[in-house]
PDB file of all heavy atoms in Angstrom:
ATOM      1  N   LEU A  22     -42.164 -22.773 -68.726  1.00  0.00           N
ATOM      2  CA  LEU A  22     -40.810 -23.210 -69.070  1.00  0.00           C
ATOM      3  C   LEU A  22     -40.779 -24.717 -69.291  1.00  0.00           C
ATOM      4  O   LEU A  22     -41.493 -25.459 -68.617  1.00  0.00           O
ATOM      5  CB  LEU A  22     -39.832 -22.885 -67.946  1.00  0.00           C
ATOM      6  CG  LEU A  22     -39.658 -21.426 -67.553  1.00  0.00           C
ATOM      7  CD1 LEU A  22     -38.867 -21.326 -66.262  1.00  0.00           C
ATOM      8  CD2 LEU A  22     -38.974 -20.667 -68.661  1.00  0.00           C
ATOM      9  N   MET A  23     -39.907 -25.148 -70.201  1.00  0.00           N
ATOM     10  CA  MET A  23     -39.655 -26.573 -70.365  1.00  0.00           C
ATOM     11  C   MET A  23     -38.141 -26.750 -70.357  1.00  0.00           C
ATOM     12  O   MET A  23     -37.423 -26.066 -71.094  1.00  0.00           O
ATOM     13  CB  MET A  23     -40.219 -27.112 -71.665  1.00  0.00           C
ATOM     14  CG  MET A  23     -39.944 -28.601 -71.838  1.00  0.00           C
ATOM     15  SD  MET A  23     -40.835 -29.384 -73.191  1.00  0.00           S
ATOM     16  CE  MET A  23     -40.245 -28.478 -74.589  1.00  0.00           C
ATOM     17  N   GLY A  24     -37.682 -27.633 -69.491  1.00  0.00           N
ATOM     18  CA  GLY A  24     -36.250 -27.869 -69.407  1.00  0.00           C
ATOM     19  C   GLY A  24     -35.945 -29.094 -68.576  1.00  0.00           C
ATOM     20  O   GLY A  24     -36.847 -29.813 -68.147  1.00  0.00           O
ATOM     21  N   ARG A  25     -34.664 -29.286 -68.331  1.00  0.00           N
ATOM     22  CA  ARG A  25     -34.201 -30.436 -67.535  1.00  0.00           C
ATOM     23  C   ARG A  25     -33.623 -29.961 -66.215  1.00  0.00           C
ATOM     24  O   ARG A  25     -32.972 -28.916 -66.160  1.00  0.00           O
ATOM     25  CB  ARG A  25     -33.142 -31.220 -68.305  1.00  0.00           C
ATOM     26  CG  ARG A  25     -33.692 -31.870 -69.549  1.00  0.00           C
ATOM     27  CD  ARG A  25     -32.670 -32.824 -70.149  1.00  0.00           C
ATOM     28  NE  ARG A  25     -33.179 -33.379 -71.376  1.00  0.00           N
ATOM     29  CZ  ARG A  25     -33.986 -34.435 -71.456  1.00  0.00           C
ATOM     30  NH1 ARG A  25     -34.343 -35.061 -70.362  1.00  0.00           N
ATOM     31  NH2 ARG A  25     -34.397 -34.880 -72.620  1.00  0.00           N
ATOM     32  N   LEU A  26     -33.852 -30.747 -65.167  1.00  0.00           N
ATOM     33  CA  LEU A  26     -33.300 -30.427 -63.865  1.00  0.00           C
ATOM     34  C   LEU A  26     -31.788 -30.598 -63.890  1.00  0.00           C
ATOM     35  O   LEU A  26     -31.285 -31.599 -64.394  1.00  0.00           O
ATOM     36  CB  LEU A  26     -33.890 -31.323 -62.775  1.00  0.00           C
ATOM     37  CG  LEU A  26     -35.196 -30.838 -62.158  1.00  0.00           C
ATOM     38  CD1 LEU A  26     -36.362 -31.017 -63.087  1.00  0.00           C
ATOM     39  CD2 LEU A  26     -35.435 -31.530 -60.845  1.00  0.00           C
ATOM     40  N   THR A  27     -31.080 -29.623 -63.339  1.00  0.00           N
ATOM     41  CA  THR A  27     -29.619 -29.690 -63.323  1.00  0.00           C
ATOM     42  C   THR A  27     -29.116 -30.584 -62.203  1.00  0.00           C
ATOM     43  O   THR A  27     -27.991 -31.069 -62.257  1.00  0.00           O
ATOM     44  CB  THR A  27     -29.005 -28.299 -63.163  1.00  0.00           C
ATOM     45  OG1 THR A  27     -29.464 -27.720 -61.942  1.00  0.00           O
ATOM     46  CG2 THR A  27     -29.385 -27.403 -64.337  1.00  0.00           C
ATOM     47  N   ARG A  28     -29.924 -30.792 -61.182  1.00  0.00           N
ATOM     48  CA  ARG A  28     -29.595 -31.709 -60.068  1.00  0.00           C
ATOM     49  C   ARG A  28     -30.899 -32.079 -59.367  1.00  0.00           C
ATOM     50  O   ARG A  28     -31.947 -31.517 -59.650  1.00  0.00           O
ATOM     51  CB  ARG A  28     -28.611 -31.066 -59.106  1.00  0.00           C
ATOM     52  CG  ARG A  28     -29.124 -29.833 -58.412  1.00  0.00           C
ATOM     53  CD  ARG A  28     -28.067 -29.278 -57.433  1.00  0.00           C
ATOM     54  NE  ARG A  28     -28.612 -28.175 -56.699  1.00  0.00           N
ATOM     55  CZ  ARG A  28     -28.542 -26.905 -57.066  1.00  0.00           C
ATOM     56  NH1 ARG A  28     -27.945 -26.583 -58.203  1.00  0.00           N
ATOM     57  NH2 ARG A  28     -29.071 -25.965 -56.341  1.00  0.00           N
ATOM     58  N   ASP A  29     -30.823 -33.012 -58.441  1.00  0.00           N
ATOM     59  CA  ASP A  29     -32.016 -33.400 -57.692  1.00  0.00           C
ATOM     60  C   ASP A  29     -32.562 -32.201 -56.914  1.00  0.00           C
ATOM     61  O   ASP A  29     -31.776 -31.371 -56.429  1.00  0.00           O
ATOM     62  CB  ASP A  29     -31.689 -34.520 -56.700  1.00  0.00           C
ATOM     63  CG  ASP A  29     -31.359 -35.843 -57.388  1.00  0.00           C
ATOM     64  OD1 ASP A  29     -31.530 -35.927 -58.628  1.00  0.00           O
ATOM     65  OD2 ASP A  29     -30.949 -36.786 -56.691  1.00  0.00           O
ATOM     66  N   PRO A  30     -33.893 -32.120 -56.770  1.00  0.00           N
ATOM     67  CA  PRO A  30     -34.464 -31.003 -56.007  1.00  0.00           C
ATOM     68  C   PRO A  30     -33.982 -31.009 -54.557  1.00  0.00           C
ATOM     69  O   PRO A  30     -33.774 -32.063 -53.961  1.00  0.00           O
ATOM     70  CB  PRO A  30     -35.968 -31.260 -56.059  1.00  0.00           C
ATOM     71  CG  PRO A  30     -36.172 -32.172 -57.209  1.00  0.00           C
ATOM     72  CD  PRO A  30     -34.927 -32.988 -57.328  1.00  0.00           C
ATOM     73  N   GLU A  31     -33.804 -29.820 -54.018  1.00  0.00           N
ATOM     74  CA  GLU A  31     -33.438 -29.655 -52.612  1.00  0.00           C
ATOM     75  C   GLU A  31     -34.735 -29.374 -51.847  1.00  0.00           C
ATOM     76  O   GLU A  31     -35.349 -28.327 -52.028  1.00  0.00           O
ATOM     77  CB  GLU A  31     -32.477 -28.484 -52.467  1.00  0.00           C
ATOM     78  CG  GLU A  31     -32.025 -28.224 -51.050  1.00  0.00           C
ATOM     79  CD  GLU A  31     -31.113 -27.008 -50.994  1.00  0.00           C
ATOM     80  OE1 GLU A  31     -30.268 -26.844 -51.893  1.00  0.00           O
ATOM     81  OE2 GLU A  31     -31.258 -26.229 -50.036  1.00  0.00           O
ATOM     82  N   VAL A  32     -35.138 -30.322 -51.023  1.00  0.00           N
ATOM     83  CA  VAL A  32     -36.427 -30.218 -50.325  1.00  0.00           C
ATOM     84  C   VAL A  32     -36.182 -29.974 -48.846  1.00  0.00           C
ATOM     85  O   VAL A  32     -35.338 -30.625 -48.227  1.00  0.00           O
ATOM     86  CB  VAL A  32     -37.262 -31.505 -50.516  1.00  0.00           C
ATOM     87  CG1 VAL A  32     -38.607 -31.392 -49.824  1.00  0.00           C
ATOM     88  CG2 VAL A  32     -37.444 -31.791 -51.994  1.00  0.00           C
ATOM     89  N   ARG A  33     -36.923 -29.022 -48.303  1.00  0.00           N
ATOM     90  CA  ARG A  33     -36.856 -28.715 -46.875  1.00  0.00           C
ATOM     91  C   ARG A  33     -38.266 -28.579 -46.336  1.00  0.00           C
ATOM     92  O   ARG A  33     -39.213 -28.382 -47.096  1.00  0.00           O
ATOM     93  CB  ARG A  33     -36.079 -27.430 -46.637  1.00  0.00           C
ATOM     94  CG  ARG A  33     -34.639 -27.548 -47.083  1.00  0.00           C
ATOM     95  CD  ARG A  33     -33.837 -26.388 -46.663  1.00  0.00           C
ATOM     96  NE  ARG A  33     -32.468 -26.570 -47.149  1.00  0.00           N
ATOM     97  CZ  ARG A  33     -31.481 -25.833 -46.797  1.00  0.00           C
ATOM     98  NH1 ARG A  33     -31.650 -24.834 -45.968  1.00  0.00           N
ATOM     99  NH2 ARG A  33     -30.270 -26.053 -47.281  1.00  0.00           N
TER     100      ARG A  33
END
Side-chain angles (χ1 to χ4, degrees):
L22 300 169
M23 180 169 60
R25 294 190 183 276
L26 273 74
T27 59
R28 63 179 185 269
D29 291 352
E31 180 182 320
V32 181
R33 297 189 181 190

